[in-house]
């Protein structure tokens, strides 16, 4: 993996905005095409292989967590457990997820799995692809995200009747852009689709149904809103009452994989596995470690320790569900920039990568998105 300087395209801001990518510079530079990352075909093959293998390991970990009643590890309340189990046993469909990897050229390690509400999808799928076509049209990119999304929605059409899906998110620009992109892929696959702000989803208590603004019963709802927030705001009790007459995508079992608690469970199941970092629910013998909340977003409340001394920490409102402790991975240092690879799984398959880069060791909402290509 190499980090290479690149010239900015003329009118690059307008080009991004013409694609509907309006948050390229909202809180400082987010989309950064002053550099790109170059991978060899062998490196891409390694990332693809690791993504496929970890996805299967994660599915095993869901089974293991349910069979061994590890609910307390995830802070899942009792009333919601059977709901998760049913969504798993009935194989409610999962569309996507993003593994975050540290890669130093030799070691490829899982940092965490954004399994429930991953973002940076649109820039990974569409924006960096247009950048490649303009700047390096003779090169390739590990990116079949768009094709696989359309294909997977097409596959799901066989099992979803009626074919109307609501797509729900908060109304900030990033969330709306990402969910409108996923919605567009579902529309291309033949679904009848409709956007609805999360806060506009209604609940008809007398019939225990979720309803839209025109009082229609909502049978399929794709949400870009995490399950831990659904538990927090009391909405999960309504999901249980409703009993799956409304089917939510991503399914409830994905909360187990989106929690950092899955990391020590994976290590318990696969000790010494080459793609995993040591992880526990207590610090144990670790001296160089990342302390991560069981639930958190954008690196909030994550603290890094070296020789048991804090070296970097982020503030936030997470942590009441507890923490896990993961062996510290030394991210590569490119002149003070530290990349993390986000590797997408769509349906059941690896589909492409996006790179987030930061001057900090903890990836947060200020980390930049940098495009990539394959050379050789």
């Amino acid at each position: 993996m190499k980090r290479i300087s690149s010239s900015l395209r003329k009118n690059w801001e307008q080009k991004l905005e013409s694609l509907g990518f309006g948050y390229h510079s909202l809180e400082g530079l987010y989309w950064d095409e002053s550099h790109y990352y170059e991978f060899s075909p062998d490196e891409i093959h390694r990332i693809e292989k690791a993504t496929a293998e970890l996805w299967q390991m994660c599915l095993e970990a869901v089974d293991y967590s349910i069979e061994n009643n590890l609910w307390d590890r995830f802070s899942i309340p009792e009333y919601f457990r059977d709901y998760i189990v049913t969504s798993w046993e009935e194989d409610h469909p999962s569309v996507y997820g993003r593994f975050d990897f540290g890669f130093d050229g030799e070691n490829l390690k899982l940092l965490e799995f954004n399994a429930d509400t991953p973002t940076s999808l649109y820039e990974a799928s569409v924006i960096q692809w247009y950048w490649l076509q303009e700047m390096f049209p003779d090169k390739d990119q590990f990116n079949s995200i768009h094709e696989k999304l359309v294909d997977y929605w097409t596959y799901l059409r066989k099992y979803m009747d009626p074919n109307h899906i609501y797509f729900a998110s908060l109304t900030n620009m990033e969330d709306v852009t990402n969910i409108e992109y996923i919605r567009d892929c579902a529309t291309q696959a033949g679904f009848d689709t409709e956007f609805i702000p999360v806060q506009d989803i209604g609940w008809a208590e007398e019939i225990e149904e979720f309803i839209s603004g025109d009082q229609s019963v909502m049978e399929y709802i794709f949400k870009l809103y995490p399950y831990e927030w659904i538990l927090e705001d009391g909405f999960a009790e309504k999901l249980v009452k409703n009993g799956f007459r409304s089917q939510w995508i991503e399914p409830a079992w994905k909360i187990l994989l989106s929690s950092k608690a899955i990391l020590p469970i994976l290590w318990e199941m696969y000790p010494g596995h080459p793609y995993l970092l040591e992880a526990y629910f207590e610090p144990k013998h670790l001296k160089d470690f990342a302390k991560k909340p069981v639930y958190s977003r954008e690196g909030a409340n994550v603290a890094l320790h070296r020789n048991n001394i804090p070296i970097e920490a982020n503030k936030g409102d997470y942590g009441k569900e507890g923490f896990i402790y993961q062996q510290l991975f030394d991210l590569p240092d490119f002149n003070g920039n530290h990349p993390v690879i986000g590797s997408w799984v769509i349906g059941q398959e690896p589909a492409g990568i996006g790179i987030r880069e930061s001057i900090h060791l903890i990836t947060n909402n200020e980390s930049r998105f940098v495009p990539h290509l394959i050379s050789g």
Side-chain angles (χ1 to χ4, degrees):
M1 180 172 61
K2 300 175 183 175
R3 185 176 188 266
I4 299 174
S5 296
S6 180
S7 58
L8 303 179
R9 291 172 294 169
K10 187 178 180 181
N11 300 323
W12 61 273
E13 296 101 326
Q14 291 89 336
K15 290 176 179 176
L16 298 178
E17 288 159 14
S18 71
L19 295 170
F21 186 50
Y23 53 98
H24 54 77
S25 309
L26 279 185
E27 299 178 13
L29 186 66
Y30 171 60
W31 168 264
D32 184 359
E33 60 180 61
S34 66
H35 292 77
Y36 62 87
Y37 281 91
E38 179 182 292
F39 293 84
S40 70
D42 284 347
E43 289 172 329
I44 292 297
H45 177 69
R46 285 185 63 187
I47 295 168
E48 186 174 16
K49 182 172 179 289
T51 303
E53 187 168 340
L54 281 166
W55 172 243
Q56 293 303 318
M57 291 162 60
C58 282
L59 297 180
E60 293 290 333
V62 174
D63 241 351
Y64 179 87
S65 299
I66 291 174
E67 287 180 3
N68 291 281
N69 292 309
L70 301 180
W71 304 107
D72 289 342
R73 295 298 196 186
F74 299 90
S75 288
I76 304 291
E78 284 193 26
Y79 76 87
F80 200 60
R81 296 173 184 177
D82 284 347
Y83 186 87
I84 293 172
V85 172
T86 301
S87 75
W88 174 248
E89 291 179 345
E90 292 183 353
D91 196 22
H92 292 188
S94 160
V95 173
Y96 69 162
R98 194 194 73 225
F99 291 100
D100 284 351
F101 289 129
F103 182 46
D104 60 10
E106 293 186 11
N107 301 293
L108 180 67
K109 299 290 188 181
L110 175 65
L111 303 177
E112 57 190 59
F113 185 24
N114 295 277
D116 183 17
T117 58
T119 54
S120 77
L121 177 69
Y122 187 53
E123 45 270 48
S125 176
V126 175
I127 302 301
Q128 68 170 347
W129 178 253
Y130 274 86
W131 168 85
L132 182 77
Q133 298 311 303
E134 183 172 347
M135 295 295 289
F136 304 98
D138 58 331
K139 299 291 186 182
D140 201 1
Q141 195 173 72
F142 181 28
N143 185 1
S144 59
I145 298 170
H146 183 82
E147 294 82 356
K148 285 193 167 71
L149 275 172
V150 175
D151 287 350
Y152 197 66
W153 281 119
T154 303
Y155 167 77
L156 290 178
R157 270 201 75 197
K158 294 183 289 187
Y159 305 100
M160 294 171 66
D161 183 31
N163 287 151
H164 190 97
I165 311 177
Y166 292 90
F167 287 79
S169 77
L170 299 175
T171 54
N172 64 76
M173 188 183 298
E174 181 178 2
D175 284 9
V176 170
T177 301
N178 274 271
I179 201 158
E180 285 287 12
Y181 172 60
I182 302 170
R183 178 189 167 198
D184 179 63
C185 292
T187 303
Q188 290 186 42
F191 281 101
D192 180 26
T193 65
E194 181 176 345
F195 173 77
I196 184 170
V198 162
Q199 60 269 27
D200 288 356
I201 297 175
W203 172 251
E205 182 66 38
E206 63 280 7
I207 55 174
E208 297 184 341
E209 297 282 6
F210 294 100
I211 55 173
S212 63
D214 64 1
Q215 307 301 304
S216 298
V217 172
M218 306 169 72
E219 294 184 81
Y220 294 108
I221 308 166
F222 184 98
K223 59 163 193 63
L224 189 60
Y225 189 81
Y227 275 108
E228 66 263 27
W229 293 0
I230 291 175
L231 285 167
E232 183 80 18
D233 62 23
F235 225 62
E237 295 176 5
K238 297 179 174 57
L239 267 64
V240 174
K241 281 184 180 180
N242 179 257
F244 297 105
R245 290 189 299 281
S246 293
Q247 188 164 328
W248 295 75
I249 310 169
E250 296 291 308
W253 57 265
K254 290 296 283 292
I255 191 175
L256 303 180
L257 295 180
S258 65
S259 168
K260 309 298 185 294
I262 204 65
L263 297 171
I265 290 171
L266 281 168
W267 184 255
E268 182 177 310
M269 294 174 65
Y270 303 97
H273 194 284
Y275 297 142
L276 300 178
L277 294 161
E278 278 188 77
Y280 307 100
F281 288 99
E282 306 84 27
K284 291 200 170 181
H285 58 277
L286 297 177
K287 294 181 178 178
D288 303 333
F289 60 87
K291 180 182 178 184
K292 298 180 175 180
V294 167
Y295 297 101
S296 74
R297 305 263 147 192
E298 297 285 1
N301 299 100
V302 173
L304 308 184
H305 293 69
R306 195 180 298 281
N307 289 323
N308 287 314
I309 298 172
I311 58 171
E312 190 172 313
N314 281 350
K315 296 180 179 177
D317 298 324
Y318 297 95
K320 66 178 182 299
E321 295 90 357
F323 292 84
I324 66 98
Y325 300 82
Q326 183 186 47
Q327 179 188 356
L328 188 63
F329 181 79
D330 289 323
L331 293 172
D333 185 339
F334 294 94
N335 298 318
N337 297 282
H338 306 286
V340 169
I341 298 170
S343 185
W344 290 91
V345 57
I346 307 294
Q348 310 292 322
E349 299 181 54
I353 59 171
I355 314 293
R356 295 285 300 279
E357 178 185 90
S358 177
I359 59 173
H360 303 290
L361 295 172
I362 303 172
T363 302
N364 59 28
N365 58 6
E366 296 176 351
S367 301
R368 289 160 280 120
F369 189 99
V370 180
H372 81 279
L373 57 76
I374 304 170
S375 185

